[in-house]
Amino acid sequence: MARKVVAGNWKMNTFVSEGIELANKIKVADLPSDVDVILAAPYTHLYALQREIISYPVFIAAQNCHTHESGAFTGEISPIVLRDLGVTQVIIGHSERRSYFNESYEFLRDKMIAALKVGINPIFCCGEDLGIREAGKHKELIAEQIKSSLFQLSDSQVKKCIIAYEPVWAIGTGVTASPEQAQEMHAFIRSLVADKFGPEMAQNISILYGGSVKPGNAKELFSQPDVDGGLIGGAALDADSFLSIINSF
Ligand code: PEP
């Protein structure tokens, strides 16, 4: 059975003090014991958050990491240092990184391998833009994204990953995929995992939906059989909205 997960992606938002306040509101709330709550904060916040939070079921994530643990990579962030800060998950392949920073399939694969090596579990994002969807090529692209990066990992590595399906046309736009559209894509992704790694892996891997999830639409999305939770952007910046989404299963 796949774990239920709600992950908040704060992106490049909040001052450190605001992030701590937000995290504290979530930490002290009455959280459902069967939902893993993940806060993907900016790097600048992680040290402070680790000291404030870190208690199950709230996990701290990074929004990216590098492929190397140390060396001449000015401005990059080492996965082993993230681990040392108490980070347990990392978002890899967010569409903003794919498009603004031209991250290739191979680079994403290598980042996941580097994260897993130090004990950080990837949240691997995939998703199509509007043009691809309108051309009816969305399944083809998602299969390519997954096969070229995630499926390059071993069984034991994939077991530790979460997949997030995030249609780019729904991210930060206020337009959400319909529950039927989300379900169709999640079932498709699960079938890809089953074909490659077998039915048990497919049943147990959490597949999150991301793209304008709000308190008003989370319940319907999360009630779909193959939607195991959400990756939340904008609505994760407001404690009440995020808590309402966490309680939407
Ligand atoms: C995201 O950035 O991963 C995301 C889903 O953003 P939003 O919820 O704001 O659409």
Side-chain angles (χ1 to χ4, degrees):
M1 187 68 181
R3 292 280 305 167
K4 294 176 193 162
V5 180
V6 175
N9 176 13
W10 296 358
K11 310 195 187 191
M12 198 174 69
N13 293 305
T14 71
F15 284 99
V16 177
S17 56
E18 292 169 327
I20 290 174
E21 198 183 322
L22 180 55
N24 269 324
K25 283 187 186 160
I26 292 153
K27 179 180 133 182
V28 300
D30 197 10
L31 298 170
S33 59
D34 62 340
V35 180
D36 290 342
V37 176
I38 301 173
L39 305 178
Y43 297 128
T44 41
H45 299 32
L46 296 173
Y47 181 69
L49 283 178
Q50 178 225 23
R51 294 168 72 94
E52 289 282 330
I53 299 249
I54 306 297
S55 67
Y56 180 83
V58 180
F59 299 96
I60 302 298
Q63 299 171 14
N64 182 29
C65 72
H66 193 57
T67 52
H68 286 69
E69 289 177 16
S70 64
F73 299 100
T74 303
E76 281 297 336
I77 305 284
S78 156
I80 201 162
V81 175
L82 292 173
R83 186 70 192 114
D84 188 48
L85 284 177
V87 165
T88 46
Q89 281 90 4
V90 61
I91 297 174
I92 300 287
H94 192 281
S95 61
E96 287 152 17
R97 296 227 47 104
R98 288 181 193 264
S99 61
Y100 304 150
F101 302 97
N102 298 317
E103 296 194 346
S104 69
Y105 293 154
E106 295 74 22
F107 195 41
L108 299 179
R109 172 203 63 201
D110 291 347
K111 285 181 186 213
M112 287 191 281
I113 292 170
L116 286 158
K117 185 167 168 236
V118 300
I120 297 181
N121 297 337
I123 301 172
F124 174 75
C125 300
C126 56
E128 80 286 356
D129 65 24
L130 191 57
I132 296 282
R133 175 151 286 256
E134 285 176 347
K137 294 193 179 310
H138 42 293
K139 285 190 178 163
E140 209 176 297
L141 180 74
I142 298 305
E144 183 181 306
Q145 290 176 341
I146 289 179
K147 288 179 182 172
S148 307
S149 301
L150 186 69
F151 285 4
Q152 300 300 310
L153 309 186
S154 69
D155 265 56
S156 61
Q157 289 172 319
V158 171
K159 209 181 228 163
K160 296 188 176 130
C161 296
I162 290 172
I163 300 173
Y165 169 62
E166 298 206 301
V168 180
W169 46 271
I171 296 180
T173 58
V175 178
T176 318
S178 68
E180 294 73 26
Q181 285 173 318
Q183 169 56 26
E184 184 193 19
M185 292 309 288
H186 283 230
F188 173 66
I189 291 167
R190 210 179 290 283
S191 75
L192 294 175
V193 176
D195 289 348
K196 171 84 177 165
F197 295 103
E200 199 183 323
M201 178 87 85
Q203 266 164 26
N204 290 329
I205 198 159
S206 298
I207 307 178
L208 314 184
Y209 168 78
S212 297
V213 178
K214 306 274 180 254
N217 58 26
K219 235 185 189 81
E220 231 190 325
L221 286 160
F222 294 176
S223 68
Q224 301 303 307
D226 287 296
V227 177
D228 303 310
L231 180 54
I232 320 298
L237 294 170
D238 176 78
D240 291 339
S241 298
F242 192 57
L243 287 166
S244 165
I245 293 170
I246 293 168
N247 285 293
S248 292
F249 290 93

